[in-house]
Amino acid sequence: MGDNQWYTNKDLFEQINDMQTEFRDLRSEMRETRTMIRQYNGLREELADVERKVEDMEARAEGRQSVGKAIREWGGWIVAVVSLIILFL
């Protein structure tokens, strides 16, 4: 434990070069990560647009169904009233 380890200039130079290479790799990976995050955010926006469109389509379909149901339920009454009016004339 009493030994003091001293590095030679060559060792220090190699360590610094290794650190620089690691930093370059890290910067490259960070750049890729930022790109992937941007793409993910873009996909989220597209997904939100698609969800809104699907909700609109479902609402329209539900409206059509309710109109069709009303026509089926009240159509007979309307025909009966019109027939009654024609008979009185």
Side-chain angles (χ1 to χ4, degrees):
M1 288 282 178
D3 290 327
N4 287 336
Q5 180 161 353
W6 292 93
Y7 294 102
T8 64
N9 286 338
K10 180 182 177 186
D11 292 337
L12 291 173
F13 178 76
E14 289 174 355
Q15 288 178 359
I16 291 172
N17 278 340
D18 290 342
M19 284 177 45
Q20 285 177 341
T21 303
E22 289 175 8
F23 279 130
R24 271 190 233 115
D25 293 344
L26 180 62
R27 271 186 260 154
S28 173
E29 289 176 10
M30 289 175 65
R31 204 174 298 123
E32 289 176 19
T33 302
R34 281 193 301 263
T35 303
M36 291 170 60
I37 289 172
R38 279 190 214 111
Q39 289 174 349
Y40 174 77
N41 287 337
L43 289 175
R44 285 184 53 201
E45 291 171 2
E46 288 180 28
L47 179 62
D49 290 342
V50 169
E51 286 176 345
R52 276 193 295 268
K53 289 178 183 177
V54 168
E55 288 173 359
D56 288 344
M57 291 168 57
E58 288 175 346
R60 286 186 197 140
E62 187 176 323
R64 286 185 191 127
Q65 287 177 351
S66 65
V67 169
K69 182 180 176 185
I71 290 172
R72 280 193 312 268
E73 289 178 355
W74 291 96
W77 285 101
I78 293 171
V79 170
V81 169
V82 171
S83 299
L84 187 61
I85 292 172
I86 291 174
L87 285 175
F88 282 132
L89 295 175

